[in-house]
Each structure stands twice: as C-alpha cells, then as structure tokens.
Amino acid sequence: MAHVCIGIDFGGTGIKYTALNEANEHTEIGSVTTPVAEGKAAILKQIVTGCRDYIDRLGIAREDILRIGIGSPGPLSVKRGIILALPNIPNMKNVPIKAILEEEMGIPVTLENDANAASYAEFLCGAGEEVSNMVMLTLGTGVGSGIIIDGGLVHGAHDMGGELGHLIVAPGGRQCSCGQKGCLEEYSSAGAMGRYAAEALSNGQGPDSTLQAVLKATGEIDALDVEKAMLAGDSFAKARWDEFCYYLAMGCVNIIRMLDPDRIVLSGGITKAGDTLYQPLMDQFRTLDWSLLETKTDIAIAQLGSDAGAVGAAGVAWYDVKKN
C-alpha cells in the first residue's frame, strides 16, 4: 500500500480518524465517542484504541504509516506537543499528548490546533487547494481560524498566532470569554447571533418578532431560527442577520489589510445558508473595503464539512514528513 499519514480529530463529543495519501486522497472517516465523563485516562485510551482499531480495519501496515497528526481544541503548545487546557473537558491540563501517542503507537506524531487542522484540509483539497496563502474562519459557537502563508500554518512566537476570532471589531463592546471586549466572535459567530438575539428579545426588543414565540417555547434562539424568521420577513431577525454580516465583513477587511491572502474561506453550519449569507456579506464588504486599490482577495465557502478536522490533521502530519 502507498504511504499514508493518519489524521485524528479530537473533540469533546467524538474522535474521528482518516488516512491520507501523498495525493491528498483520504479514506472514509471513522469515529468513536469521547468518554468525557470517565476522565482523562479513559479519553487517552479511547484515542489510542480507536486509532489502532481504525488502522486494523483498513488493513494498513504499520510500516506504511509515516506519521500521525492529531487536531485538538486548545490552548495548546504545538512546539512542545502539549494540550495546555481544554475548557469543555475537565482535567485535560498539561497533557503531553504527542509523547503519549508516540509511545503507544510507535509512530511520530504532530499536534495541531483543531481550527488550524481544518483550515489546512481546505487548503490541501478543498476551497483553497489552488492558492498559496489562505485564511479560514469557522463560524460556530465562537470564531475559529487558521492562517496559511506560503503553504505553512502560522503559529506565532508563543503558539498563539491566528486567533482571529479575537480581533477587536467593536472597541469597548460585548464582553468576550477571553477577557477582551468587542471581539469578532461576539458579533459574527453563530452562537453569538442566537445568544444576543435572545437577550434582546428578553429586554423588550422585537415585540412583534416571530422569534418571541420560539424563545418562549424553547428558552433559546439559534442562528437557524434567526435565518428562518428573516426569510419570512421578520424585521428584527433581519437586523440581527445584517449585524452578523457587517462585523464579519469588517473582520475580513482587517484580515486582508494585514495579510493580503489569496482567499478567505468561511466554514461552519451557518454557511449552509448560501447566498442568504454570502450576498449581504459581500454587500457589506464592498461598503467597508478601501477604495485606494482593487482588492484581489476573494471570499469563498468551505467544501469539506465535518471531514475537515481529520483530513487536516493528517495533512499537517504530511507537512512535517516533507519538511523533515
């Protein structure tokens, strides 16, 4: 069999696996659940056992596996191969995941931030595969991101580079969990859209909005609720959607002025809205962008969906193989 790298996408609910060859072709994704309630030892055992089972199921010989990549939520020390802390998984602090996997599997390991890994997957074989410089924004509970310059991921001097969800787009604005105020993810994440829509409704805004009934029935609002209400002509919902697009456009303008990438790629469930998201975003972008020169960076929608994390983890492993 041709040489491959194994990719592991480690998340709070599930762990996914794939094998990627040098032509950037990947195998069908395998998955197991993350036993969060059972603690750190059980989680680490599940990562290793799941990886072994997946390799055996595919019939891949160990000598054909050049490297394993694992994408994990952070904060991390990529250079030291350590998970520093996982806010949503208790007791996963200062875990030397790289060393643990290398000892258990007998194969070199690359650790990468999960958002970076997903970004690298889109760069290799998704929406950015024909460019050299790309930025991806993942619009989910927060705003994740990855920066790829000349084919390599940007980590920064302290492994904290590329945290574009914490660009300040509204000085003195909404409080972010990071400690700053006015971060992009407090205005242009799917989670923030629903959260602040519910807060505004509870404070008496949008008294005639159809979202009032949704909030009363479920106790919460999500981005899909806002989209449905907007498409039905709800003016309160449209204002929330337009606010989301305005700040996202502002974030894109700032990214382009700093980095001048070939492409910005947007991912996350909210991008399934298609032109309902893309057209107002681009309208806002054209209004906010400079007029000094023509901006050549384009903005595109991600292609790989939930496969991106595992594929990208294998991709960064391949990057290390070729670099070394």
Side-chain angles (χ1 to χ4, degrees):
M1 183 176 180
H3 286 147
V4 299
C5 287
I6 300 296
I8 304 173
D9 180 17
F10 166 46
T13 57
I15 306 161
K16 297 180 180 179
Y17 304 89
T18 195
L20 185 75
N21 66 19
E22 196 168 6
N24 295 330
E25 299 164 334
H26 69 89
T27 55
E28 184 177 352
I29 304 293
S31 65
V32 294
T33 58
T34 305
V36 173
E38 298 176 35
K40 178 173 69 174
I43 292 170
L44 294 171
K45 182 179 179 181
Q46 183 80 306
I47 292 171
V48 172
T49 302
C51 188
R52 287 175 177 155
D53 290 346
Y54 184 74
I55 291 167
D56 290 344
R57 189 161 68 249
L58 292 180
I60 302 174
R62 291 298 195 275
E63 59 266 25
D64 289 326
I65 301 172
L66 300 182
R67 199 170 185 92
I68 294 171
I70 180 166
S72 170
L76 314 170
S77 172
V78 171
K79 295 171 184 174
R80 293 185 291 151
I82 297 173
I83 296 173
L84 298 175
L86 295 180
N88 299 318
I89 304 180
N91 302 316
M92 289 290 285
K93 292 185 177 181
N94 298 316
V95 179
I97 187 71
K98 172 180 164 68
I100 290 169
L101 278 176
E102 287 180 339
E103 181 176 354
E104 292 287 342
M105 300 299 299
I107 299 168
V109 172
T110 295
L111 173 65
E112 187 53 82
N113 173 276
D114 56 354
N116 278 348
S119 301
Y120 201 69
E122 289 291 342
F123 173 74
L124 283 181
C125 48
E129 64 177 323
E130 78 279 14
V131 304
S132 298
N133 301 280
M134 189 196 96
V135 173
M136 189 163 93
L137 298 176
T138 302
L139 313 172
T141 303
V143 175
S145 58
I147 301 171
I148 298 159
I149 301 296
D150 294 331
L153 281 160
V154 172
H155 295 106
H158 310 100
D159 282 335
M160 296 296 170
E163 292 290 348
L164 300 178
H166 300 285
L167 289 175
I168 295 175
V169 294
R174 296 169 179 168
Q175 182 67 53
C176 182
S177 60
C178 76
Q180 297 177 170
K181 290 185 176 181
C183 290
L184 179 63
E185 78 170 29
E186 291 301 310
Y187 293 84
S188 290
S189 64
M193 182 192 290
R195 186 167 66 254
Y196 287 110
E199 181 180 298
L201 291 167
S202 298
N203 290 336
Q205 296 183 42
D208 299 324
S209 173
T210 57
L211 290 172
Q212 290 283 7
V214 177
L215 181 62
K216 184 176 181 180
T218 66
E220 61 184 12
I221 299 292
D222 63 24
L224 182 59
D225 294 326
V226 177
E227 180 190 357
K228 288 179 178 177
M230 177 192 63
L231 292 174
D234 189 309
S235 60
F236 172 83
K238 185 177 187 305
R240 304 287 74 72
W241 194 266
D242 287 346
E243 177 186 71
F244 177 99
C245 292
Y246 171 78
Y247 284 104
L248 181 56
M250 186 186 298
C252 289
V253 168
N254 289 336
I255 290 165
I256 293 168
R257 295 291 82 79
M258 286 187 289
L259 299 171
D260 186 28
D262 297 302
R263 180 166 298 153
I264 294 175
V265 175
L266 306 177
S267 70
I270 197 169
T271 62
K272 293 178 181 178
D275 282 348
T276 299
L277 172 68
Y278 192 77
Q279 291 304 325
L281 167 64
M282 294 309 299
D283 288 344
Q284 296 280 14
F285 178 82
R286 284 186 284 268
T287 298
L288 293 169
D289 193 24
W290 71 5
S291 57
L292 184 63
L293 293 168
E294 178 187 2
T295 292
K296 295 184 179 180
T297 301
D298 59 29
I299 299 174
I301 302 299
Q303 298 174 1
L304 299 180
S306 62
D307 291 351
V311 173
V316 295
W318 265 112
Y319 181 84
D320 279 354
V321 167
K322 294 174 180 178
K323 181 177 64 176
N324 297 326

